[in-house]
Amino acid sequence: MTLRFGVIGTGAIGREHIKRISNKLAGGKIVAVTDVNQASAEDAVKSFALDAVVYPNDLALLAADNVDAVLVTSWGPAHEASVLAAIEAGKYVFVEKPLATTAEGCMRIVEAEMKHGKRLVQVGFMRRYDSGYVQLKEAIENNFIGEPLMIRAAHRNPEVGKNYTTDMAIHDTLIHEIDVLHWLVNDDYQTVQVAYPKKSKHAHENLKDPQIVTLETKGGIVITAEINVNCKYGYDIQCEVIGEEGIVSLPEFQSISFRKNAMFGTHVLMDWKDRFIDAYDKELQDFMDSIKKTGEPNGPTSWDGYIAQVTADAAIKAQDSGEKETITLQEKPVFYSKPTEAVNA
């Protein structure tokens, strides 16, 4: 069985996914594309030599009988409408974050999916498929360090552009930690607070950088997450889980070690795409494989997208207030109680 994909949004991430499905992964084929910029959609078909139809909009694409699933890789605020339309059409959906830009929008998707009666949606939180995070998850679940007590995490970028704003540190950057740390400890968040250390001289005038976000879970785990998007030295993701009987840390990205010019060291990545390229491959392969095997996607659910958005909204509120803000989630529906684990292929 070949899963026939339509692509809604042919920008950078859309093209990356087109390339991996067409040239690298097994079991999928791109048969339809659309973009608000029709020239971009037409160029994608030409650039990748696709045997695919260019549709004028997402609704026309979703009406195509030969489309089994869609990749929603458009502008974030457009995600909700496309995902809801896909559910209405009974199509499987792989949607890049955010699921929707508001908690209310995420709930509309959750309710539509439950009404449909089976899971159709997977959210593109690729870190759950990273081998390092999978190893952390296994260590925690095997009680290797006893009960987790604290987590220290860091998300560092070499630099960001002038259009990067203080709130983007939460909903564009920290959003990945919000999802993967919740997945690691399987414990809902309860409160969030944001503090601003001394500002980096490399941060532009209207950006507060770095930031320290403190999350507390209902089980009492305290998480401190550093966001530093002008660190200059590289793209660096860190995570350390402190337990009752030990500590486990995210492995460093694999690199040769060198001795040169009186120095001993390793290379640090500069591009986030290189850090998680394998995870991007694995998440889409798992999306296809699980649908063929069970009829439902296996990865992060619409409910996970809702949790991330509610938490991000509270964190942005905490950016402004400086206070500890409460994170209030609705009760998790039984529909989403089935465990969803990333496949470490």
Side-chain angles (χ1 to χ4, degrees):
M1 173 185 174
T2 298
L3 202 64
R4 298 167 297 180
F5 281 94
V7 180
I8 302 173
T10 54
I13 190 64
R15 290 175 183 239
E16 286 291 322
H17 287 332
I18 288 172
K19 182 167 63 175
R20 57 176 42 94
I21 287 174
S22 300
N23 301 329
K24 194 171 186 181
L25 306 182
K29 180 182 179 181
I30 307 298
V31 299
V33 299
T34 189
D35 194 283
V36 292
N37 179 353
Q38 286 284 283
S40 174
E42 292 166 0
D43 181 71
V45 169
K46 181 179 179 181
S47 297
F48 294 102
L50 300 176
D51 181 16
V53 176
V54 177
Y55 286 91
N57 54 53
D58 57 348
L59 297 181
L61 182 149
L62 288 164
D65 291 336
N66 68 331
V67 172
D68 305 311
V70 291
L71 301 176
V72 179
T73 50
S74 53
W75 184 46
H79 288 186
E80 179 188 347
S82 293
V83 174
L84 286 171
I87 293 171
E88 179 69 22
K91 311 288 188 180
Y92 293 104
V93 186
F94 181 93
V95 53
E96 283 297 340
K97 57 87 178 168
L99 175 64
T101 53
T102 65
E104 293 79 12
C106 291
M107 278 305 302
R108 284 190 285 270
I109 291 170
V110 164
E111 290 164 358
E113 192 173 32
M114 288 194 294
K115 182 180 178 181
H116 180 79
K118 75 172 185 177
R119 281 190 54 207
L120 295 174
V121 179
Q122 179 169 323
V123 185
F125 288 126
M126 75 292 185
R127 289 198 191 180
R128 298 189 188 198
Y129 291 85
D130 176 75
S131 61
Y133 281 108
V134 170
Q135 290 175 68
L136 284 184
K137 177 78 168 173
E138 290 173 348
I140 292 167
E141 292 192 339
N142 292 333
N143 204 37
F144 183 66
I145 58 170
E147 285 293 317
L149 306 174
M150 297 175 282
I151 298 176
R152 288 196 288 261
H155 190 141
R156 303 180 183 125
N157 290 59
E159 61 184 6
V160 292
K162 295 288 187 180
N163 62 334
Y164 189 97
T165 55
T166 299
D167 61 316
M168 289 173 68
I170 302 297
H171 59 65
D172 275 15
T173 300
L174 188 73
I175 196 74
H176 288 290
E177 275 77 15
I178 288 172
D179 176 72
V180 79
L181 299 181
H182 174 269
W183 172 73
L184 277 180
V185 297
N186 193 29
D187 192 1
D188 284 339
Y189 300 121
Q190 183 167 264
T191 64
V192 61
Q193 191 167 19
V194 179
Y196 298 105
K198 182 178 179 180
K199 181 175 176 175
S200 168
K201 69 178 183 180
H202 300 297
H204 63 74
E205 182 180 358
N206 297 319
L207 174 64
K208 295 180 180 179
D209 181 56
Q211 302 178 36
I212 302 293
V213 178
T214 302
L215 290 153
E216 185 173 355
T217 72
K218 290 182 177 179
I221 300 169
V222 175
I223 299 166
T224 55
E226 169 200 332
I227 311 166
N228 184 347
V229 295
N230 289 282
C231 74
K232 295 301 176 185
Y233 72 85
Y235 180 73
D236 190 13
I237 302 299
Q238 299 290 326
C239 183
E240 180 182 69
V241 183
I242 299 95
E244 294 175 319
E245 298 165 4
I247 297 171
V248 288
S249 299
L250 188 68
E252 293 289 343
F253 187 78
Q254 188 173 3
S255 167
I256 61 168
S257 60
F258 61 86
R259 290 173 171 83
K260 185 177 180 180
N261 297 332
M263 293 186 295
F264 173 72
T266 60
H267 294 288
V268 177
L269 292 174
M270 295 297 288
D271 192 332
W272 58 270
K273 293 189 294 295
D274 294 333
R275 172 63 180 83
F276 290 110
I277 189 168
D278 288 341
Y280 279 112
D281 292 344
K282 288 176 182 177
E283 68 172 350
L284 270 178
Q285 189 66 67
D286 183 43
F287 178 74
M288 293 186 285
D289 291 347
S290 59
I291 287 171
K292 294 172 189 177
K293 183 177 180 180
T294 69
E296 294 185 337
N298 186 54
T301 65
S302 297
W303 187 254
D304 294 315
Y306 163 76
I307 290 172
Q309 191 60 46
V310 171
T311 305
D313 288 348
I316 289 171
K317 184 178 179 181
Q319 284 182 323
D320 295 330
S321 71
E323 303 295 327
K324 184 182 287 189
E325 299 291 345
T326 301
I327 298 167
T328 304
L329 298 170
Q330 295 191 32
E331 184 176 351
K332 185 176 182 178
V334 175
F335 182 85
Y336 293 103
S337 62
K338 176 184 173 184
T340 55
E341 299 297 334
V343 175
N344 186 24

